[in-house]
Amino acid sequence: MADDNDLPRQSPEPLFSSNDAHPADGVPESGPAEVDASHTRTQASQLIDEVIYSDIGVATLLQRLKQSIASARDFAAFLKKRSILEEEYAQGLKKLCKSTHESFRRPEHRQGSFAQQNDEMIRIFDRMSENGIQFVLSLHQMQEDLSDMTSNIERGRKPWKQTGLSAEKRAQDSENLMEKAKAKYDSLAEDYDRVRTGDKQSGKIFGLKGPKSAAQHEEDLLKKVQAADTDYASKVNTARAQRQELITTLRPQSVRALMSLISECDAGLTLQLQKFASLNEKLLLNNGLSLSPLKQQEQSQDAQPRSLREAFHLIDNDGDLNSYILSFLSKVPPKRPEINYERHLTLAGQQPMSTAANRQSQLLLSSPSGAGSAMQTAPQLSTTLNTHVPLSGSGPDAQSPVDRSLVGAHQPQYPGGSNGVTSLPGPSSFQPTFADQTTPGGHSAPYPGELPPLKPVFGVSLDELFRRDGSAVPMVVYQCLQAVDLFGLDLEGIYRLSGTASHIAKLKAIFDNDSSQVDFRNPENFFHDVNSVAGLLKQFFRDLPEPLMTTEHYAEFINAARVDDDIIRRDSLHAIVNSLPDPNYATLRALIIHLNRVQEHSHVNRMNAGNLAICFGPTLMGSNTGPNIADAGWQVRVIDTILQNTYQIFDDD
């Protein structure tokens, strides 16, 4: 009867041959130390073969290959990040060299030896930036090579993983079936032996067709034993064939392929590591030679390249100063004659004047126009002061319509004048501009009172506007936000600087007449005056009968602003905002998302969240007058917190 111990377990030829350990013909035998080392290598090779050709060999090599691929990918990621850092440094250094070179060439900087040696410094660091760029290109190439290698090896690993593990599983499954057949065969053989030798069990033996006699039962067991024996022999043959194919063919193929992939991956990674080390050494060496180049013996001292230290030692401060002073030699005015006192001929025969009279005479003589010149100074100064026109926002009367219209009428058309400083023209230039003479439609401009308020917008509640116009966000708010988004995000002081009062009044009359006919996508329709559009928006919110953030929720907003914890304060304000009426919520949401876009340009327009909160806090909460003025700081904090958490409180859609 076949047994599972009969299955062949021999291993194929070792992967690492030990023939090289024996001396070749004609070569002197090695010493004892070399013989021991060769013997150790032979033993290690045998132990390695024992592992990799065992049942766990394929799984072990697959795990090792996975480690090699992961290591190569991590090093490729390191090279990519390192190349990004080096590229930023090299490009930044190159730009710095260019800007510094241009700056040192300006007339307000020192020239002479200082400028020459600084040019030498710029050239040195420019060479270093070029070295860095070449280093970056090499790192990029290495990263791409490693990525391609790992991708190829990963593609090669998958089929051998499927082939090797499937062969191992088939052999194991056939052996498991053989073990089950053997167990069944042994059990039936024992039962048959008991029946055949007379070991009868108590009771009757019942079959499907009734009681059986002992002879019939023995015959049935014999048939079952013979069938189990045949099945067991078949399973043994199958398992032996599967094992033989696995050991002689499939497993060696998988092992050789996986070992080849591991060697290829490890060798490629090692090569890139060595190349990386070489590139770093080359970069440092080139930078070092740029800072301190080697001296050439065949060249003269003057022709030798200078190091950075030597270049800076050649700066001659005294020589540069003397050269600068001597450059003005041709501009020195002629030497003044010696100052002497000469008496007039008419006074030549009189006695000398007293000291006080002489001093007064010298003062009068030293002034070309005498006392009359002094008498004319005060009226001229007074006239100059009286002709001064105050700027918008300066002085106690800066808010008067007359002052703002004078200044605004002479502001440059958008987008110029973003620095917030307006140059004042002379008295003769205070004439109305084209923007003051025409309406947004291009017709002669009527006064605000000439446009009848057919569909009033200002001073009308949001609920009434919603019911009348069907839009949760009023048209005036939409048009103003659109104009500032298109033309005012980069305008310095937007929402802080006042607009022109006459422009605001005309735009207000136009919206009260029919807001559906207004289109602020054309800057001519608001006189190219974005600050007036911003002022019109704030005027709309100030004129609301009920503040945008409602009187009902005012106390809740103030109490939430008093909370010190940022998260709790934000969540409290979020809950209160969600409880606002629909038109108020929609309008506040549109405004806050717009103001968030404004603060994203604060590096240009100088209007961050804090500055915008100062401008809109009292306007939106309706507490700029009355007993709530003391809450001004908390109002600002409410708007500032909402702006700082725009997309946590409002969805971005």
Side-chain angles (χ1 to χ4, degrees):
M1 200 66 61
D3 192 6
D4 59 332
N5 293 328
D6 297 335
L7 295 177
R9 297 287 180 174
Q10 72 272 14
S11 297
E13 295 181 359
L15 186 65
F16 300 102
S17 177
S18 59
N19 294 333
D20 296 338
H22 300 287
D25 295 336
V27 179
E29 295 185 359
S30 304
E34 295 181 356
V35 172
D36 292 341
S38 176
H39 181 66
T40 303
R41 287 195 298 269
T42 303
Q43 289 182 338
S45 178
Q46 293 175 352
L47 295 176
I48 291 173
D49 289 343
E50 183 177 350
V51 173
I52 62 177
Y53 287 108
S54 66
D55 293 344
I56 64 171
V58 174
T60 302
L61 292 178
L62 284 171
Q63 183 64 27
R64 178 61 177 78
L65 180 57
K66 187 176 181 181
Q67 292 177 351
S68 298
I69 295 174
S71 299
R73 284 177 174 169
D74 287 345
F75 185 64
F78 167 78
L79 290 178
K80 183 176 181 180
K81 294 179 180 178
R82 175 70 186 277
S83 65
I84 293 174
L85 294 176
E86 291 291 342
E87 184 174 12
E88 291 177 354
Y89 173 74
Q91 295 293 348
L93 182 60
K94 198 170 189 65
K95 292 179 181 178
L96 177 63
C97 291
K98 182 178 179 181
S99 62
T100 305
H101 177 72
E102 294 174 353
S103 177
F104 281 158
R105 283 302 168 189
R106 294 173 184 169
E108 59 265 23
H109 284 273
R110 284 180 58 183
Q111 302 301 319
S113 63
F114 176 82
Q116 295 173 1
Q117 303 313 318
N118 271 285
D119 286 345
E120 183 65 27
M121 177 196 72
I122 296 301
R123 284 192 291 270
I124 290 175
F125 282 102
D126 191 63
R127 287 196 295 270
M128 293 175 63
S129 68
E130 292 293 339
N131 295 337
I133 292 174
Q134 293 300 321
F135 181 65
V136 168
L137 294 177
S138 299
L139 292 184
H140 275 304
Q141 187 61 45
M142 291 172 58
Q143 186 264 334
E144 292 177 359
D145 292 343
L146 272 178
S147 298
D148 293 341
M149 182 192 73
T150 54
S151 299
N152 293 333
I153 292 178
E154 181 65 27
R155 285 194 295 268
R157 184 184 74 92
K158 290 180 179 179
W160 285 112
K161 176 183 177 181
Q162 181 69 23
T163 301
L165 295 182
S166 298
E168 297 283 347
K169 187 175 185 303
R170 287 196 301 271
Q172 185 64 39
D173 290 343
S174 63
E175 292 182 11
N176 291 337
L177 292 175
M178 181 195 70
E179 294 291 341
K180 290 181 180 180
K182 182 178 183 302
K184 181 179 179 181
Y185 169 72
D186 291 341
S187 175
L188 291 174
E190 290 176 359
D191 291 343
Y192 175 73
D193 185 64
R194 282 196 300 269
V195 171
R196 187 171 58 85
T197 56
D199 186 8
K200 309 293 183 180
Q201 295 181 351
S202 59
K204 295 181 180 180
I205 301 174
F206 293 92
L208 294 176
K209 297 181 179 181
K212 292 183 179 181
S213 64
Q216 290 176 339
H217 182 56
E218 181 179 351
E219 183 179 357
D220 291 342
L221 284 177
L222 179 61
K223 292 179 180 179
K224 291 181 180 180
V225 169
Q226 291 174 348
D229 179 70
T230 302
D231 181 64
Y232 174 51
S234 174
K235 293 292 191 300
V236 169
N237 292 331
T238 302
R240 180 186 291 112
Q242 292 283 353
R243 173 63 61 177
Q244 185 68 22
E245 183 183 12
L246 174 67
I247 292 176
T248 59
T249 305
L250 298 179
R251 183 181 288 171
Q253 289 178 352
S254 300
V255 167
R256 282 194 294 270
L258 292 175
M259 289 292 289
S260 176
L261 291 174
I262 292 172
S263 300
E264 180 182 353
C265 185
D266 292 347
L269 178 57
T270 302
L271 178 63
Q272 297 298 336
L273 288 170
Q274 294 172 353
K275 187 176 179 181
F276 179 68
S278 176
L279 288 174
N280 278 275
E281 293 173 356
K282 182 180 178 181
L283 175 66
L284 293 177
L285 180 60
N286 290 337
N287 288 342
L289 291 175
S290 298
L291 290 170
S292 181
L294 298 175
K295 303 300 181 183
Q296 303 294 334
Q297 296 181 356
E298 61 274 8
Q299 294 181 355
S300 62
Q301 185 66 27
D302 294 336
Q304 294 282 359
R306 298 189 184 94
S307 66
L308 186 62
R309 179 189 295 271
E310 292 171 344
F312 286 157
H313 275 299
L314 292 177
I315 297 177
D316 185 3
N317 293 326
D318 294 336
D320 291 348
L321 177 59
N322 294 337
S323 299
Y324 176 77
I325 295 174
L326 290 176
S327 65
F328 289 87
L329 183 61
S330 60
K331 300 180 182 180
V332 175
K335 190 174 182 181
R336 293 178 180 270
E338 186 178 354
I339 301 176
N340 294 319
Y341 171 70
E342 297 180 1
R343 295 189 66 185
H344 198 269
L345 294 177
T346 59
L347 301 177
Q350 299 181 5
Q351 297 294 329
M353 295 184 294
S354 63
T355 305
N358 189 18
R359 188 181 307 116
Q360 183 177 2
S361 174
Q362 292 178 2
L363 289 174
L364 291 174
L365 289 173
S366 64
S367 177
S369 58
S373 176
M375 294 297 292
Q376 296 174 0
T377 304
Q380 292 177 359
L381 181 60
S382 175
T383 303
T384 303
L385 293 175
N386 289 334
T387 59
H388 172 68
V389 180
L391 290 175
S392 175
S394 62
D397 299 330
Q399 298 298 327
S400 66
V402 176
D403 291 342
R404 290 198 299 271
S405 63
L406 287 176
V407 177
H410 299 279
Q411 289 179 344
Q413 289 189 353
Y414 185 86
S418 62
N419 57 358
V421 179
T422 306
S423 60
L424 295 178
S428 62
S429 63
F430 283 98
Q431 300 294 334
T433 62
F434 177 77
D436 289 328
Q437 296 172 356
T438 59
T439 63
H443 307 291
S444 61
Y447 293 116
E450 294 184 12
L451 289 175
L454 301 179
K455 296 176 66 177
V457 173
F458 288 79
V460 181
S461 68
L462 294 177
D463 287 335
E464 185 175 349
L465 290 174
F466 183 35
R467 286 194 299 271
R468 186 188 72 189
D469 301 332
S471 174
V473 180
M475 181 58 67
V476 61
V477 176
Y478 172 78
Q479 291 291 345
C480 291
L481 298 185
Q482 179 180 238
V484 176
D485 279 339
L486 291 175
F487 307 104
L489 292 181
D490 293 333
L491 188 62
E492 183 175 346
I494 186 68
Y495 291 116
R496 175 174 57 82
L497 297 178
S498 302
T500 305
S502 60
H503 292 171
I504 295 175
K506 292 176 182 179
L507 295 174
K508 179 179 177 183
I510 294 170
F511 275 100
D512 279 338
N513 178 261
D514 188 0
S515 60
S516 64
Q517 302 301 320
V518 183
D519 185 3
F520 276 179
R521 290 176 294 181
N522 184 358
E524 293 180 1
N525 292 341
F526 53 84
F527 315 108
H528 295 271
D529 188 358
V530 183
N531 285 328
S532 292
V533 175
L536 182 71
L537 179 65
K538 292 191 290 184
Q539 184 68 42
F540 171 78
F541 289 121
R542 283 195 295 267
D543 290 350
L544 286 175
E546 174 77 0
L548 179 64
M549 303 179 76
T550 71
T551 305
E552 177 186 356
H553 297 289
Y554 177 82
E556 299 176 23
F557 279 115
I558 297 301
N559 292 334
R562 299 178 190 274
V563 177
D564 292 330
D565 187 87
D566 295 336
I567 304 301
I568 298 177
R569 184 171 67 254
R570 180 199 67 191
D571 294 342
S572 301
L573 291 174
H574 190 182
I576 302 170
V577 168
N578 285 341
S579 65
L580 291 173
D582 291 345
N584 298 64
Y585 176 88
T587 305
L588 179 64
R589 177 184 176 279
L591 176 65
I592 293 299
I593 292 178
H594 162 73
L595 294 179
N596 184 66
R597 290 193 292 270
V598 174
Q599 73 166 341
E600 289 176 349
H601 292 251
S602 60
H603 61 284
V604 179
N605 58 39
R606 307 297 178 86
M607 294 300 291
N608 55 27
N611 293 337
L612 292 171
I614 292 173
C615 294
F616 280 91
T619 301
L620 300 182
M621 300 193 68
S623 55
N624 51 355
T625 60
N628 295 328
I629 293 179
D631 297 333
W634 302 119
Q635 301 158 15
V636 172
R637 194 175 191 184
V638 169
I639 304 302
D640 181 64
T641 303
I642 295 176
L643 279 174
Q644 296 287 357
N645 301 275
T646 299
Y647 295 124
Q648 285 76 27
I649 296 178
F650 302 101
D651 57 323
D652 181 17
D653 59 6

